[in-house]
Amino acid sequence: MALVGTDKDMSFYIGREASKLWKRFCAEVTTEINLLADNWKYLLGGLIFQYIHGLAARGVHYFHRPGPILQDVGFYLLPELGQDRAYISETVFTTIFLSFIMWTFHPFIFKTKKIYTVLIWCRVLAFLVGCQFLRIITFYSTQLPGPNYHCREGSKLATLPPPDNILQALLIVPRGMLYGCGDLIFSSHMIFSLVFVRTYQKYGTRRFIKQCAWLAVIAQSFLIIASRKHYTVDVVVAWYTVNLVVFFIDKTLPGYEVFLAELPDRTSALLLPVTKDSKSKEENHKLLNGNSGDPAEWRPRTQINGKIVEDGKTVHETVINGV
């Protein structure tokens, strides 16, 4: 009898938690859809520029001419991994990439909602566009002989024949992205990794994960050079250029208050960009916190000077209404 009662209690608990999870998910979807309705132009523009960046990287491959590998300090100091172990750097990059994407969508599942997914991606895409714009200008200014194995003399992939038609020129295939040549200064992998890690550094909540993320980026820097995918200068330039671009866009550019200003405090119902129609305070509070209308489930989300408090530690100076 006791076992039967335990099973019933467990079933009741699972059903209740599943109901809460579904309500939270629906409330979060409602909030993010309303944010998306206000900011879709920025997201679409950022995604379109990703295609432009890929098209530019493929275009410079037509101008690439293989030649002797340039003298490089990193090549002297770091042993060459070889083609068989070149996947190691891609594995590290993929881990950083996928982990960040999952983190930006975690508010749909977990209670500890600290960010808005749409606004985070608006910021990230703005940073990426700024860095990639400079990257396009740089690698079209000077074409260096690629150090990667498929870009060296004797490789059939080192050069691309002229496109037969406009469609072939505008089409980007995954193989071309993996085996591109000529788009060296500065490293695209480092752009994505540094932007992602800097974003989590500011809005993430786990100090240990932040430390691991920075260690992963540092390790990726050495692995890229050891894999001979880039010269050392490509990685070094990426380190200071990406950080300067992120700082410049985040702090000084005017006119981007919609998504470049500090993310609004989720505890303030006045900052909710939901609809033009008036809603009750209880409805706004429910949408902001992603829970049901039960006051017992309302959870405060503290935001300190536009940054997220790490690991639940308290700080005396708080921000009112996201200012």
Side-chain angles (χ1 to χ4, degrees), residues 155-307:
S155 174
K156 296 180 179 179
L157 301 175
T159 57
L160 284 180
D164 298 328
N165 50 63
I166 188 65
L167 181 61
Q168 185 178 358
L170 297 178
L171 183 63
I172 301 177
V173 295
R175 181 177 176 83
M177 297 174 61
L178 295 174
Y179 294 97
C181 298
D183 56 327
L184 292 174
I185 303 177
F186 41 98
S187 171
S188 180
H189 283 59
M190 293 303 301
I191 290 177
F192 279 94
S193 297
L194 286 170
V195 167
F196 289 171
V197 172
R198 279 189 61 99
T199 302
Y200 186 80
Q201 175 70 31
K202 186 171 185 178
Y203 296 107
T205 58
R206 302 296 180 184
R207 179 174 297 179
F208 175 74
I209 297 179
K210 294 179 182 181
Q211 294 170 346
C212 290
W214 282 112
L215 289 175
V217 175
I218 294 173
Q220 179 184 292
S221 302
F222 290 109
L223 288 171
I224 288 175
I225 299 171
S227 301
R228 304 301 188 254
K229 295 179 179 179
H230 278 278
Y231 292 109
T232 305
V233 66
D234 307 336
V235 176
V236 173
V237 171
W239 267 96
Y240 65 75
T241 302
V242 173
N243 283 287
L244 289 174
V245 168
V246 171
F247 175 82
F248 178 73
I249 295 179
D250 205 14
K251 299 295 183 182
T252 62
L253 265 187
Y256 291 87
E257 292 85 358
V258 175
F259 57 91
L260 292 180
E262 298 299 345
L263 297 187
D265 186 358
R266 295 185 61 86
T267 62
S268 173
L270 297 177
L271 290 176
L272 178 65
V274 179
T275 62
K276 296 181 180 179
D277 300 329
S278 60
K279 287 181 175 288
S280 67
K281 183 178 180 180
E282 181 178 346
E283 291 173 337
N284 284 339
H285 205 305
K286 178 174 67 175
L287 287 177
L288 276 169
N289 289 294
N291 50 30
S292 65
D294 185 3
E297 294 185 8
W298 292 356
R299 301 176 304 280
R301 279 74 179 268
T302 305
Q303 186 176 4
I304 307 302
N305 288 336
K307 295 184 179 181

Side-chain angles (χ1 to χ4, degrees), residues 68-81:
I69 298 177
L70 304 179
Q71 293 187 9
D72 190 283
V73 174
F75 291 179
Y76 285 114
L77 298 178
L78 296 175
E80 187 171 352
L81 288 179

